Amino acid sequence: MRILLVASAFNSLTQRLHAELRERRHTVTVQLAGADEELRAAVRADAPDLVVAPMLRTALPADVWSALPCLIVHPGPPGDRGPSALDWAIHEGAADWGVTVLQADAELDAGPVWAEASCPLPPLAKSDLYRGEVSDAAVRAVLEAVARFASGTYEPQPQHGPGWRAPDHTRPYLRQETRRIDWEREGTEAVVRKLRAADSQPGVLDELLGAEWFLHGGHPERALRGRPGALLATRAGALCRATADGAVWLPELRRRRSPGGPATFKLPAVTALGSALPHLPEAPALHRDDWSDIRYAEDGPVGLLRFSFPGGAMSTDHCRRLLAAYREALERPTSVLVLGGGRDFFSNGIHLNVIEAAADPAAESWANINAIDDLVEAVLTTTDRLTVAALGGNAAAGGVMLALAADEVWCREGVVLNPHYRLMGLYGSEYWTYSLPRRVGGAEARRLTEQALPVGAGAGLRSGLVDRVLPCPPQEFGRQAARLARLSADSPTLLGRTAAKKAAREADERLRPLAEYRAEELAVMRRQFFDPAQPYHALRTAFVRKQPGPGV
Ligand code: COA
């Protein structure tokens, strides 16, 4: 079938559906919603059998949905309507949720239902759930709806009438007044729930040190206590604030936009507050239940180095801390080292927001790319044990290349990879000119980097980008990856494989040293960073401020 995806942004779910539908041999094109004339032109040009709208912030024009079937993906069960569906579910502590695929109609989210799928809602942040359980359910529901449509015999079911079990209600936009935290009265559980319901957008509006900030994300603290509302400590760039009965970690802040002022963007909390932050003790994570963005564990011969950075963005500081943890892990007597293994983003490369906020963005870009290159180099040159990159969530740009530095790349089914830099106006580094062609061949490496399209886990497996796809729910991925790593470590072939990889690395180094790949990549990147006329700067500014880019 010819399917036109219409979305307000080519976001993770749209990218995943793009990959899944192409995988099933449909012809898929994408059109951004908002500009109605462009949408009409795309409909005329592509002549689709069906429109699927995975994520819409604006309604489709009536002449489009009345001329051909338009299926809307609503992140809520049938009967649930309104623009803040998932926010309300998390805000109210729902344990189960669902996704409905319905036909566009005059009333928002009220059209007949083509398919639905349910999903668990573990107590986690909204964007993590959206890219995990909710996306899994959305893919199941869309594929079922598309198959039903293709059958030509299925009648979509009206949302009311006899036998319809779901409550029928439209919930309003979840406003800041409802999200607001009362630090004096609310306990950690309630505060974390509010923070999770507002992650990654719009955040919770709050006051900190006399200024207005949006709080983005939050994790419960185990031991620290203080006067409710007081700032207690810092850890890994996050801020600890006391609640009525405990404390929470606030990883990122975004300053409230002043009237007429430029758009603001999220930053690690300590960076955002800068010199306004009074001295606070740095509280290291000491206990296995303490929140931290990097943690190390062992299961016999397997080392597990987990990391999880908001938005998958890795600043100079993140890269340096992860490299230090990696080096420490190498000191341990393990034979398999797993990198990642968490839920959500593996990595999306250098931290464009931190770079944007820096006094000298070119110099910060340079520091960041060198820091991530150092990390990638450490993985590439690990020859005494097997390394595995375990991707429970998506990766892009340098984040994909970080994964490719490992001997094996394991992905959860449903992961989307964007192994390219072109859309950010960059040539890229992270030794990609060594590791990408080595895995997929020169022609495929060129195609991936030039076409700049998302790659699903299945396609990645076929091209050699990925070695293993784990079909499991997001909550299971870490355990499954650890179990498989244990099997690899116990395998009688491991010693031979490790010796062979050491020999292969040495042979590659003789052919062309890694330092040469890096120097050549960085020579291009240096020009792109330090020449203000290069498109990278305008593209980065637009990306972090969520504005339309100048186009590439
Ligand atoms: N630096 C800073 N923030 C980043 C980031 C990066 N490299 N990559 C992603 N993010 C942030 C996004 O701004 C977004 O923030 P929000 O929560 O405030 O909305 C969040 O992470 C999730 O990303 P989003 O773009 O909404 O997810 P997506 O699944 O729709 O798209 C990408 C994922 C990776 C395709 C897209 O974010 C992207 O192009 N990132 C930039 C990749 C890049 O060029 N890296 C630098 C070169 S190494």
Side-chain angles (χ1 to χ4, degrees):
M1 271 202 308
R2 299 176 69 80
I3 299 175
L4 176 64
L5 292 179
V6 180
S8 298
F10 195 28
N11 76 334
S12 54
L13 177 58
T14 313
Q15 295 195 2
R16 185 163 164 196
L17 283 171
H18 188 261
E20 301 269 4
L21 291 166
R22 278 188 310 162
E23 194 76 6
R24 284 160 185 80
R25 308 244 166 270
H26 296 294
T27 304
V28 188
T29 46
V30 183
Q31 176 61 42
L32 290 186
D36 289 354
E37 266 323 307
E38 284 174 27
L39 175 56
R40 291 185 184 106
V43 168
R44 279 196 299 276
D46 298 344
D49 303 299
L50 189 62
V51 168
V52 175
M55 193 276 286
L56 277 187
R57 289 192 210 103
T58 50
L60 292 176
D63 55 313
V64 171
W65 59 254
S66 48
L68 90 168
C70 296
L71 307 190
I72 311 282
V73 179
H74 174 72
D80 173 89
R81 289 195 277 278
S84 303
L86 197 49
D87 303 51
W88 278 112
I90 299 168
H91 188 85
E92 290 172 354
D96 298 289
W97 199 234
V99 173
T100 311
V101 176
L102 38 85
Q103 189 156 342
D105 211 336
E107 191 188 338
L108 199 69
D109 298 340
V113 173
W114 279 89
E116 60 176 293
S118 57
C119 62
L121 221 50
L124 294 164
K126 180 175 63 173
S127 57
D128 185 345
L129 293 168
Y130 178 78
R131 285 185 283 263
E133 284 78 358
V134 174
S135 283
D136 283 2
V139 168
R140 284 201 309 279
V142 167
L143 294 179
E144 179 158 47
V146 168
R148 284 174 170 170
F149 177 78
S151 76
T153 56
Y154 187 80
E155 272 294 312
Q157 300 299 300
Q159 285 199 33
H160 22 73
W164 192 254
R165 57 181 172 69
D168 199 34
H169 57 193
T170 302
R171 286 201 277 192
Y173 180 73
L174 184 46
R175 305 180 69 83
Q176 285 297 337
E177 297 89 84
T178 315
R179 297 184 190 269
R180 184 166 277 281
I181 294 170
D182 183 343
W183 294 95
E184 295 288 332
R185 291 202 181 79
E186 287 182 287
T188 299
E189 200 206 316
V191 171
V192 168
R193 196 146 24 87
K194 284 185 169 174
L195 291 167
R196 285 176 172 158
D199 160 277
S200 62
Q201 299 294 335
V204 173
L205 185 59
D206 195 19
E207 259 181 52
L208 266 176
L209 305 169
E212 285 191 298
W213 293 90
F214 288 96
L215 316 178
H216 291 274
H219 308 276
E221 156 61 20
R222 188 181 52 86
L224 291 172
R225 298 290 178 267
R227 184 177 48 75
L231 300 180
L232 305 178
T234 59
R235 176 184 298 159
L239 203 55
C240 186
R241 189 168 193 190
T243 63
D245 65 357
V248 293
W249 287 100
L250 305 171
E252 290 193 315
L253 304 177
R254 176 170 58 94
R255 190 180 273 283
R256 185 176 197 179
R257 185 179 190 164
S258 55
T264 55
F265 50 90
K266 291 189 276 189
L267 286 169
V270 171
T271 310
L273 292 171
S275 57
L277 187 65
H279 175 75
L280 292 171
E282 176 78 7
L286 300 171
H287 185 270
R288 61 192 287 272
D289 292 334
D290 285 346
W291 168 77
S292 177
D293 55 1
I294 300 174
R295 57 177 62 246
Y296 179 75
E298 259 171 36
D299 173 24
V302 176
L304 301 154
L305 184 57
R306 287 244 173 128
F307 53 93
S308 169
F309 305 118
M314 291 171 65
S315 67
T316 306
D317 174 59
H318 292 136
C319 294
R320 287 184 183 152
R321 287 195 290 111
L322 186 52
L323 175 57
Y326 184 81
R327 288 199 173 123
E328 250 181 68
L330 288 183
E331 298 294 315
R332 301 288 307 157
T334 57
S335 53
V336 175
L337 180 52
V338 180
L339 268 174
R343 294 175 49 111
D344 208 10
F345 287 126
F346 176 78
S347 166
N348 286 327
I350 58 177
H351 203 311
L352 299 167
N353 294 26
V354 169
I355 290 170
E356 182 71 14
D360 182 345
E364 184 51 36
S365 303
W366 185 250
N368 202 161
I369 201 74
N370 274 287
I372 197 167
D373 277 3
D374 291 345
L375 172 64
V376 174
E377 185 200 13
V379 181
L380 281 170
T381 55
T382 301
T383 52
D384 63 344
R385 67 199 81 196
L386 186 78
T387 53
V388 174
L391 282 64
N394 302 344
V400 179
M401 307 311 165
L402 169 62
L404 299 190
D407 302 313
E408 294 204 2
V409 177
W410 300 351
C411 283
R412 188 178 88 83
E413 190 177 55
V415 156
V416 176
L417 304 175
N418 277 286
H420 50 81
Y421 303 83
R422 192 172 63 79
L423 305 180
M424 201 52 66
L426 291 173
Y427 178 70
S429 189
E430 295 99 358
Y431 299 85
W432 77 266
T433 53
Y434 170 66
S435 44
L436 188 60
R438 191 170 62 127
R439 275 193 158 258
V440 301
E444 177 69 0
R446 257 193 311 283
R447 196 185 69 80
L448 289 171
T449 47
E450 282 167 16
Q451 283 191 351
L453 283 174
V455 181
L461 191 62
R462 285 195 297 280
S463 70
L465 210 51
V466 173
D467 300 292
R468 191 171 220 163
V469 176
L470 279 58
C472 60
Q475 282 294 76
E476 276 301 307
F477 179 77
R479 268 192 293 276
Q480 289 243 12
R483 193 179 55 80
L484 286 173
R486 184 67 199 244
L487 289 178
S488 299
D490 293 341
S491 158
T493 62
L494 183 71
L495 264 181
R497 289 178 64 197
T498 310
K501 99 161 187 176
K502 184 167 190 290
R505 174 83 282 283
E506 284 166 3
D508 280 357
E509 189 67 17
R510 279 193 299 276
L511 216 57
R512 191 177 183 212
L514 279 179
E516 266 188 32
Y517 290 94
R518 177 168 174 163
E520 197 177 272
E521 291 166 4
L522 287 183
V524 187
M525 291 287 266
R526 178 179 269 283
R527 282 199 298 280
Q528 293 174 328
F529 289 158
F530 287 95
D531 177 355
Q534 287 281 325
Y536 160 65
H537 296 284
L539 286 165
R540 186 197 63 237
T541 298
F543 174 81
V544 309
R545 296 175 198 275
K546 303 192 188 305
Q547 290 157 350
V552 279

